[in-house]
Amino acid sequence: MIVLVCGGRDYADRVSAFTFLDWVHARHLVTRLVNGGAAGGDELSDAWAVARGFPDTAIGRYPAAWDDLSAPGAVARRSRSGKLYNVRAGLERNRLMLRREGPDMVAALPGGRGTWDMMSIALKAGVPVLPFAHWRAGETELIRSQTELARIIPPPALRRRAAAGALS
């Protein structure tokens, strides 16, 4: 089974990530692992695949082209350090992974907007998702709809408004 793993760049819990991915592998027999080639969740999934003996050819890495300002639809912004980057690069990379790899499922480690985007577009394409938080709560069934996902993990915009007290 081709499993696309996504997760936040700040996610660093190696033990939990490995336990989650071991469970996914035991239940769904991962034959190819795909990730976005970024720090955090992607890096942990890469380390998991290497530690479990996956050959390099069975790991698909798709780093975002943050520096490509000539990409169609690129939106240039300045980073805190003043460097220009394509703010849409991560979203475009997510779509490329989905289109090129045709995953059978998405295993989503904790993350933010990019992780939510990956889960959302996967569901729209008919690819089921297993969010880490859902699995950790003892729920092992794959999520198959946007409505179900939003009930379990609110979209980032709703979480920000709730944190600001706008939804009470």
Side-chain angles (χ1 to χ4, degrees):
M1 175 176 275
I2 300 171
V3 175
L4 192 156
V5 180
C6 59
R9 285 188 289 268
D10 296 329
Y11 185 68
D13 187 343
R14 182 182 175 100
V15 172
S16 292
F18 275 41
T19 302
F20 175 58
L21 294 172
D22 281 339
W23 184 91
V24 168
H25 185 47
R27 177 106 182 237
H28 299 285
L29 187 58
V30 180
T31 56
R32 180 164 174 79
L33 183 131
V34 178
N35 67 51
D42 294 344
E43 202 169 61
L44 288 171
S45 71
D46 222 58
W48 174 85
V50 169
R52 299 305 182 256
F54 279 64
D56 204 51
T57 55
I59 305 169
R61 299 172 184 98
Y62 288 80
W66 300 107
D67 296 332
D68 187 1
L69 299 175
S70 65
V75 175
R77 291 237 174 95
R78 285 207 186 275
S79 67
R80 289 186 182 111
S81 66
K83 183 180 177 186
L84 282 175
Y85 72 99
N86 177 6
V87 73
R88 294 196 44 80
L91 304 176
E92 293 306 319
R93 180 259 330 270
N94 288 351
R95 282 147 184 76
L96 177 66
M97 289 190 297
L98 193 60
R99 189 172 58 250
R100 191 172 284 169
E101 294 286 345
D104 298 298
M105 73 174 282
V106 170
L109 292 165
R113 288 183 312 221
T115 303
W116 176 265
D117 174 70
M118 188 70 247
M119 291 188 292
S120 180
I121 64 171
L123 289 168
K124 286 178 186 171
V127 178
V129 172
L130 182 60
F132 176 84
H134 188 57
W135 170 81
R136 182 164 242 168
E139 299 294 332
T140 59
E141 292 302 313
L142 299 177
I143 304 299
R144 298 184 184 278
S145 76
Q146 294 267 346
T147 305
E148 196 177 352
L149 179 63
R151 190 170 26 84
I152 296 163
I153 304 170
L158 285 180
R159 289 195 305 257
R160 282 192 304 275
R161 290 200 329 242
L167 297 179
S168 35

